[in-house]
Amino acid sequence: MSANTCLNCNKELVDRFCSGCGQKADTHRISFKHFILHDLLHGTFHLDKGILFTAKESLFRPGQAALDYISGKRIRYYNVFYLILLTIGLMLFTRHIGDLFFTDTAQLEPEKIYPNEASRKIDEIISQKSKLILLLFVPFAALNSFMLFGRRKLNLSEHAILAGMILLGLLLIATLSNLYFPINNFLNLNGTIASMVVTLILLVYVCHGYINAFGSDYAVWGMAWRLVLFFGLICAELYLLFLLIFGFVSDWKFGTVSLTPFS
C-alpha cells in the first residue's frame, strides 16, 4: 500500500522511509500469507543486526567500539544498556539451564540456615537485587576511569558508555560460561579450576577493554598502574557499599555474617 504521506505520522514521503518516524513508505495489507511469513515467522526468529554487531564488538574490541559510538558512529549499534538488560535476563536463564538436563530436578535444595537476621536480610537483598548490583559496575567503573584515564578528555557520561560496553562483554562471557558449567559438572571435572579460569578471563577482558580504548595514550607501565588502581578502587567501592548495606540491615551493630548469594 503506497501513499504520498506517511500512514503513521502523516508526514510527506520523499524516500523509502518516512523522515519523521522511520516507518517504511510502502506498507502491505495484512494477508494470511503476510501474517504467517512476516509477522509470525520473521517477527519470531528475526534478530536485529544491530544486536549481533554490538555483541560482537563488545566482546572483541569494546574500548574502540565505545569510542566509535561516542564519536558519533552510532547507526550500526544497538542501544548498549537495552542489550545489557536483555543479556542479564539470558544470563539468569542459563544459570539454571543445567537443572533441566544434567541434574535431578526432583531433588529439593536444602533450606538455608542463617546465624542471624542480618545475614538473612543481606542474602535476600543481594539475591533479589542482582540486576541492580551488576549495573553498579557502570557508575563505579565510569567514575574510576574518568579519574585515571583523562587524556582523551571524555566526560563522565562518555566513560559510562565505555563501562556499559565492557559490562555487556562481561555479561556475554558469563552467559557462555553458564552453558559450560553444567557440562563440566556432568563430566565430574574440577569446578573450582573452571571457576578460577572464568574469573581470570573476566579480569583479562576488563583490562583488554581499557587497553583497547586508551592503550595508545599511555606507556605500558602507565597503563599497568592505572589498571591496578582501577581494580583497587572497584574493590574499595564494593566494600564500602557492603558496609553500608550491612550497617543498614543490622542497625549499625556489626557482627558475624554468613552469605550465600545467587545460589
Side-chain angles (χ1 to χ4, degrees), residues 1 27-40:
M1 181 184 304
T27 57
H28 301 276
R29 185 173 181 179
I30 301 176
S31 62
F32 179 76
K33 179 181 178 181
H34 183 270
F35 171 74
I36 295 297
L37 295 180
H38 186 274
D39 290 351
L40 187 59

Side-chain angles (χ1 to χ4, degrees), residues 10 20 58-59 73 82 93 124 156 201 232 248:
N10 293 322
S58 70
L59 282 173
K73 301 176 182 179
Y82 287 166
F93 170 75
E124 288 180 354
L156 190 59
I201 290 173
F248 178 76

Side-chain angles (χ1 to χ4, degrees), residues 8 12 48 55 59 105 147 159 207 227:
N8 184 58
E12 183 178 1
D48 193 300
L59 282 173
T105 56
M147 293 186 296
H159 278 279
C207 293
L227 287 173

Side-chain angles (χ1 to χ4, degrees), residues 119-183:
S119 297
R120 184 187 66 80
K121 288 183 178 179
I122 294 177
D123 200 20
E124 288 180 354
I125 290 174
I126 295 177
S127 298
Q128 296 173 3
K129 305 297 182 182
S130 58
K131 294 181 181 179
L132 178 60
I133 293 172
L134 290 171
L135 290 173
L136 285 176
F137 174 84
V138 172
F140 288 163
L143 178 62
N144 296 342
S145 64
F146 177 75
M147 293 186 296
L148 295 171
F149 303 102
R151 290 187 181 175
R152 288 268 175 173
K153 305 298 182 183
L154 302 180
N155 61 40
L156 190 59
S157 298
E158 291 167 336
H159 278 279
I161 294 295
L162 173 58
M165 189 69 74
I166 292 175
L167 175 59
L168 175 59
L170 290 172
L171 294 173
L172 290 170
I173 294 172
T175 300
L176 293 174
S177 69
N178 286 340
L179 299 175
Y180 165 74
F181 280 119
I183 301 174

Side-chain angles (χ1 to χ4, degrees), residues 49 60 73 78 83 100 142 153 172 184 205 221-222 259 263:
K49 292 181 180 178
F60 297 106
K73 301 176 182 179
Y78 192 79
L83 190 50
L100 300 176
K153 305 298 182 183
L172 290 170
N184 185 84
Y205 169 80
W221 285 111
L259 300 177
S263 60

Side-chain angles (χ1 to χ4, degrees), residues 5-13 17-25 27:
T5 58
C6 175
L7 299 178
N8 184 58
C9 67
N10 293 322
K11 189 176 182 66
E12 183 178 1
L13 295 172
F17 296 90
C18 174
S19 60
C21 66
Q23 177 171 281
K24 283 187 176 182
T27 57

Side-chain angles (χ1 to χ4, degrees), residues 54-252:
T54 306
K56 177 180 71 69
E57 292 291 283
S58 70
L59 282 173
F60 297 106
R61 51 191 299 272
Q64 190 57 52
L67 294 179
D68 288 346
Y69 186 89
I70 291 168
S71 68
K73 301 176 182 179
R74 302 172 186 173
I75 188 64
R76 300 183 66 185
Y77 289 94
Y78 192 79
N79 185 289
V80 173
F81 295 99
Y82 287 166
L83 190 50
I84 285 174
L85 295 177
L86 292 174
T87 307
I88 288 176
L90 180 61
M91 183 186 69
L92 295 177
F93 170 75
T94 57
R95 279 182 62 86
H96 304 288
I97 198 169
D99 297 336
L100 300 176
F101 299 102
F102 300 109
T103 62
D104 183 6
T105 56
Q107 183 178 1
L108 297 177
E109 293 184 1
E111 184 179 355
K112 297 179 183 179
I113 300 177
Y114 300 100
N116 50 50
E117 184 65 13
S119 297
R120 184 187 66 80
K121 288 183 178 179
I122 294 177
D123 200 20
E124 288 180 354
I125 290 174
I126 295 177
S127 298
Q128 296 173 3
K129 305 297 182 182
S130 58
K131 294 181 181 179
L132 178 60
I133 293 172
L134 290 171
L135 290 173
L136 285 176
F137 174 84
V138 172
F140 288 163
L143 178 62
N144 296 342
S145 64
F146 177 75
M147 293 186 296
L148 295 171
F149 303 102
R151 290 187 181 175
R152 288 268 175 173
K153 305 298 182 183
L154 302 180
N155 61 40
L156 190 59
S157 298
E158 291 167 336
H159 278 279
I161 294 295
L162 173 58
M165 189 69 74
I166 292 175
L167 175 59
L168 175 59
L170 290 172
L171 294 173
L172 290 170
I173 294 172
T175 300
L176 293 174
S177 69
N178 286 340
L179 299 175
Y180 165 74
F181 280 119
I183 301 174
N184 185 84
N185 295 335
F186 179 73
L187 297 176
N188 292 320
L189 301 178
N190 193 316
T192 302
I193 294 178
S195 298
M196 293 176 61
V197 170
V198 171
T199 301
L200 180 61
I201 290 173
L202 294 175
L203 293 175
V204 170
Y205 169 80
V206 174
C207 293
H208 164 66
Y210 283 100
I211 292 173
N212 189 232
F214 305 117
S216 60
D217 300 327
Y218 301 95
V220 174
W221 285 111
M223 198 71 201
W225 74 257
R226 283 175 171 83
L227 287 173
V228 171
L229 186 54
F230 175 88
F231 285 113
L233 289 171
I234 288 287
C235 292
E237 289 155 354
L238 290 176
Y239 180 71
L240 290 175
L241 177 65
F242 172 76
L243 287 181
L244 289 174
I245 296 175
F246 188 23
F248 178 76
V249 302
S250 64
D251 294 326
W252 305 102

